[in-house]
Amino acid sequence: MKIPKTNAARLLDKAGIDYDLIPYTVDEEHLDAVHVAAQLNEDIRQVFKTLVLRGDRTGVFVCVIPGDRELDLKAAAKASGNKSAAMLHVRELLQTTGYIRGGCSPIGMKRTFPAFIDATCREFDRLYISAGIRGLQIRIAPEALIRFARLTVVPLTVG
């Protein structure tokens, strides 16, 4: 099976960053990270999901959190310089980022938005993030992702 090169993968190639593309079987009924982790046979805490939010002061920003955790909206708002924040509506996602639900990557969005990653990312040698399409993940070292995507490391989750 030929694995497609996504925009996110091409950007990593251009920057000379080491990563792997890992395909998985898509289930349209279960686009969540729990399903992805099960398909990859990997620890759900290493499979990160990319969430896009809108703050009341700064506008759109991105949070990347472990697949088994819930985003703490207050922590996300504070980290991004907002008083409050809410998830971007799914119908705005493609137009805003260039990505669809279940295939949103913190790498290669249409525009560069302020972006944050949960501090638990440093607990692992490798993380999984969406490659920008459903059915394909990028396996990458957390520090490489943090540097390349200019992510700010902060606690972002409940629990």
Side-chain angles (χ1 to χ4, degrees):
M1 168 179 125
K2 183 168 180 352
I3 298 174
K5 276 282 183 175
T6 63
N7 187 42
R10 284 189 286 278
L11 290 168
L12 290 171
D13 286 345
K14 188 176 176 187
I17 294 174
D18 186 41
Y19 70 95
D20 298 298
L21 286 174
I22 313 292
Y24 66 94
T25 303
V26 177
D27 178 346
E28 294 294 332
E29 299 296 311
H30 301 95
L31 296 172
D32 57 34
V34 174
H35 171 76
V36 174
Q39 287 287 311
L40 298 174
N41 200 24
E42 288 291 347
D43 185 336
I44 182 66
R45 297 173 304 156
Q46 285 177 264
V47 179
F48 277 57
K49 54 190 174 185
T50 302
L51 306 174
V52 183
L53 298 93
R54 178 171 282 120
D56 65 330
R57 294 180 174 165
T58 66
V60 176
F61 66 98
V62 176
C63 291
V64 184
I65 66 169
D68 66 335
R69 306 291 292 269
E70 289 293 318
L71 180 65
D72 180 336
L73 285 171
K74 285 184 178 162
K78 183 179 176 189
S80 62
N82 289 284
K83 268 194 165 177
S84 65
M87 294 293 295
L88 195 69
H89 196 282
V90 71
R91 72 175 172 262
E92 297 177 87
L93 195 60
L94 180 60
Q95 174 187 342
T96 304
T97 67
Y99 292 126
I100 60 170
R101 180 174 170 261
C104 191
S105 179
I107 298 171
M109 289 188 181
K110 283 169 120 176
R111 289 187 34 222
T112 302
F113 298 107
F116 306 86
I117 190 167
D118 189 65
T120 61
C121 68
R122 290 192 164 130
E123 295 174 11
F124 304 99
D125 293 339
R126 297 272 183 214
L127 302 179
Y128 292 84
I129 59 166
S130 174
I133 58 172
R134 293 174 182 168
L136 194 61
Q137 292 279 299
I138 290 173
R139 182 172 54 203
I140 189 169
E143 292 304 323
L145 175 62
I146 291 163
R147 275 192 315 275
F148 182 74
R150 297 190 183 103
L151 301 172
T152 302
V153 181
V154 291
L156 286 172
T157 56
V158 176

